[in-house]
């Protein structure tokens, strides 16, 4: 029902809270595409965040953002293959960019690491889909991509109140959205660390992609992209049950530039129930002209031949 959809969207978005940050493509000049340019973008963003919260700049050196060691590509372009990923992107290890936690590594039986390209209204997003992180969720997302689920405009229709995440997944093809919205999948084991200041919260990292949901085993076709490091309430405290388990992360410096350009100024986005009934193009595109959207997604590469994808 419409109320079920609205309730699901509301609950799913309450777990995150994203801040808007625009990074001008022209402001970096010759630094763009260089390691120094990556570091400058990384430190400028952190400085902005710390100023907003009156935190000392010394703390800048203690936080590592994922784009600090991201792969390079041309402006507006996705990474062309898995071979273009940096080692940190291709084989996530225990490090500050993953909260000093080792993400679940692949095994001999794991499906291959897969690179997905999404072209958006703001630029290109490259996603490294890690089946070892969330086997069920990763497979379901890739099934959607291969079934051309994202081949019609798919808006980032909901921004959490503190601007730290965006929600997407309702396409302009209302029949396809309805077809997949109720095809729920079981939860994957939760591996994100607990928030030390609140054990009932889990930490998630800038650039992680998870499913949204409204209870155990409710994941379907709605997704959450974390714009900043943040925390969300654990769905079932003191257990490993949660639908907000990352299955992918942004890779490539260009992806983070694109993400940082998303407009998050709409306090109340379009109604999910009306999006499902009428589609983004027919209902919300004119009403929310600054809202970013996915134009299409496709698999770029799923043949990671180096070491058989084993870390």
């Amino acid at each position: 029902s419409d109320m079920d959809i609205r309730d699901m969207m509301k609950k799913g978005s309450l777990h995150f809270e994203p801040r808007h940050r625009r990074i001008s493509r022209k402001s970096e000049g010759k630094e763009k595409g260089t390691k120094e340019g990556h570091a400058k973008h990384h430190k400028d963003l952190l400085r902005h965040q710390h100023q907003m919260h009156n935190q000392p700049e010394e703390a800048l050196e203690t936080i590592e953002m994922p784009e600090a060691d991201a792969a390079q590509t041309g402006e507006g372009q996705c990474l062309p293959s898995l071979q273009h990923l940096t080692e940190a992107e291709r084989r996530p290890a225990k490090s500050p960019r993953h909260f000093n936690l080792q993400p679940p590594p692949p095994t001999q039986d794991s499906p291959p690491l897969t690179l997905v390209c999404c072209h958006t209204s703001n630029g290109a997003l490259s996603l490294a889909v890690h089946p070892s992180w969330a086997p069920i969720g990763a497979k379901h997302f890739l099934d959607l991509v291969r079934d051309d689920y994202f081949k019609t405009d798919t808006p980032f229709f909901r921004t959490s109140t503190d601007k730290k995440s965006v929600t997407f997944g309702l396409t302009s093809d209302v029949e396809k959205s309805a077809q997949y919205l109720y095809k729920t999948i079981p939860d994957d084991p939760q591996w994100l660390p607990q928030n030390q200041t609140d054990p009932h919260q889990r930490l998630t990292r800038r650039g992680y992609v998870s499913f949204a949901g409204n209870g155990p085993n409710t994941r379907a076709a709605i997704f959450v992209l974390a714009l900043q490091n943040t925390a969300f309430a654990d769905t079932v405290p003191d257990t490993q049950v949660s639908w907000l388990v990352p299955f992918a992360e942004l890779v490539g410096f260009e992806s983070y530039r694109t993400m940082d350009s998303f407009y998050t100024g709409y306090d109340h986005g379009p109604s999910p129930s009306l999006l499902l009934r009428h589609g983004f193009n027919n209902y919300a595109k004119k009403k929310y002209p600054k809202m970013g959207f996915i134009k299409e997604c496709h698999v770029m590469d799923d043949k990671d031949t180096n070491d058989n994808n084993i870390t």
Side-chain angles (χ1 to χ4, degrees):
S1 70
D2 290 348
M3 185 58 69
D4 291 336
I5 298 166
R6 190 178 299 109
D7 186 59
M8 183 182 76
M9 295 302 101
K10 182 179 179 182
K11 290 183 179 179
S13 65
L14 286 177
H15 295 300
F16 294 82
E17 308 288 332
R19 173 179 330 132
H20 179 51
R21 165 74 169 150
R22 285 188 177 274
I23 302 296
S24 171
R25 296 184 184 278
K26 298 181 180 180
S27 63
E28 294 179 11
K30 296 181 179 180
E31 292 177 322
K32 178 184 176 295
T34 66
K35 188 72 173 179
E36 292 77 13
H38 293 194
K40 181 179 183 298
H41 166 86
H42 162 61
K43 184 160 286 190
D44 285 349
L45 179 62
L46 288 176
R47 181 173 290 106
H48 172 76
Q49 294 172 341
H50 282 250
Q51 288 172 349
M52 291 287 291
H53 296 282
N54 297 317
Q55 294 175 329
E57 283 202 16
E58 295 78 59
L60 291 175
E61 305 299 331
T62 66
I63 303 174
E64 181 176 336
M65 293 297 237
E67 63 267 41
D69 55 6
Q72 302 176 25
T73 188
E75 183 175 320
Q77 297 179 7
C78 283
L79 294 171
S81 73
L82 291 168
Q83 302 300 319
H84 287 77
L85 272 62
T86 65
E87 186 67 15
E89 294 172 324
R90 195 170 174 183
R91 287 170 174 73
K94 183 177 180 180
S95 66
R97 67 179 274 157
H98 296 290
F99 305 113
N100 288 315
L101 180 76
Q102 170 66 62
T107 66
Q108 192 66 47
D109 298 326
S110 295
L113 174 68
T114 300
L115 181 65
V116 171
C117 171
C118 292
H119 292 288
T120 80
S121 56
N122 295 55
L125 295 176
S126 296
L127 297 174
V129 180
H130 295 274
S132 60
W133 290 12
I136 300 171
K139 180 182 183 302
H140 189 61
F141 175 76
L142 291 174
D143 287 345
L144 291 172
V145 172
R146 290 180 171 123
D147 193 35
D148 294 337
Y149 182 79
F150 299 101
K151 281 291 179 73
T152 59
D153 294 348
T154 305
F156 297 94
F157 66 89
R158 180 62 49 82
T159 302
S160 59
T161 55
D162 68 356
K163 313 301 183 187
K164 289 184 179 177
S165 73
V166 288
T167 303
F168 66 99
L170 294 175
T171 78
S172 293
D173 185 338
V174 295
E175 292 185 3
K176 186 158 280 192
S177 287
Q179 173 188 350
Y180 278 101
L181 191 59
Y182 299 104
K183 285 187 175 181
T184 58
I185 60 173
D187 291 330
D188 283 299
Q190 179 59 273
W191 56 269
L192 291 174
Q194 289 183 323
N195 187 351
Q196 293 183 355
T197 59
D198 185 346
H200 296 304
Q201 290 184 337
R202 299 275 178 170
L203 301 178
T204 197
R205 197 210 75 191
R206 167 174 163 84
Y208 279 175
V209 184
S210 310
F211 282 83
N214 67 338
N217 304 318
T218 59
R219 298 184 300 171
I222 307 298
F223 305 92
V224 176
L225 170 63
L227 304 180
Q228 305 296 343
N229 291 351
T230 186
F232 59 85
D234 208 12
T235 56
V236 183
D238 303 320
T239 75
Q240 293 296 300
V241 176
S242 177
W243 54 87
L244 289 161
V245 181
F247 62 86
E249 64 173 332
L250 291 190
V251 289
F253 186 66
E254 185 68 14
S255 297
Y256 287 90
R257 290 165 60 92
T258 296
M259 181 178 72
D260 287 337
S261 73
F262 289 151
Y263 182 76
T264 59
Y266 294 121
D267 292 336
H268 301 285
S271 162
S273 60
L274 291 178
L275 278 176
L276 184 60
R277 185 181 302 142
H278 302 294
F280 175 59
N281 289 334
N282 294 330
Y283 159 60
K285 206 167 190 177
K286 290 184 178 179
K287 188 175 181 180
Y288 301 93
K290 296 182 180 180
M291 182 169 288
F293 57 91
I294 294 172
K295 296 179 178 179
E296 60 97 14
C297 295
H298 59 273
V299 172
M300 292 291 285
D301 190 4
D302 60 0
K303 297 176 177 60
D304 190 8
T305 57
N306 190 357
D307 296 332
N308 294 321
N309 198 38
I310 305 301
T311 56

